[in-house]
Amino acid sequence: MEHADGDLLTYIKDNGTLSQHLALVYMRQLSEAIKYLHNEKNIAHRDIKLANILLCSKHNCIKLADFGLSNFY
């Protein structure tokens, strides 16, 4: 299991708003993750929030976490 460097909520609280470039990178990665879950795995996450978006150690990628409320469809 990979080590996450924290979540997006804590990062924003500590550092303020994201730059436009970083926000676009994270949004693209999040949309790709949701697309993969829906189209390939037929999973609805149902609890996407800043606290469930984990950051990689270099803050250049995200991981979606907490599938406790997710559901197959």
Side-chain angles (χ1 to χ4, degrees):
M1 200 164 176
E2 294 180 36
H3 174 71
D5 196 39
D7 59 59
L8 193 53
L9 180 64
T10 305
Y11 180 82
I12 291 173
K13 283 182 181 178
D14 293 345
N15 300 306
T17 59
L18 298 174
S19 69
Q20 183 176 359
H21 174 73
L22 193 55
L24 286 173
V25 169
Y26 289 167
M27 192 63 203
R28 181 175 294 131
Q29 290 177 10
L30 182 60
S31 65
E32 288 293 325
I34 294 168
K35 179 181 172 183
Y36 173 76
L37 288 173
H38 286 199
N39 295 340
E40 303 293 327
K41 298 297 182 182
N42 296 328
I43 295 174
H45 188 280
R46 300 181 354 159
D47 193 24
I48 296 173
K49 57 187 177 186
L50 294 176
N52 290 338
I53 299 173
L54 305 179
L55 299 173
C56 296
S57 60
K58 295 181 182 178
H59 296 177
N60 60 352
C61 66
I62 61 169
K63 305 279 183 181
L64 195 54
D66 193 6
F67 285 81
L69 294 177
S70 66
N71 203 357
F72 290 101
Y73 65 92

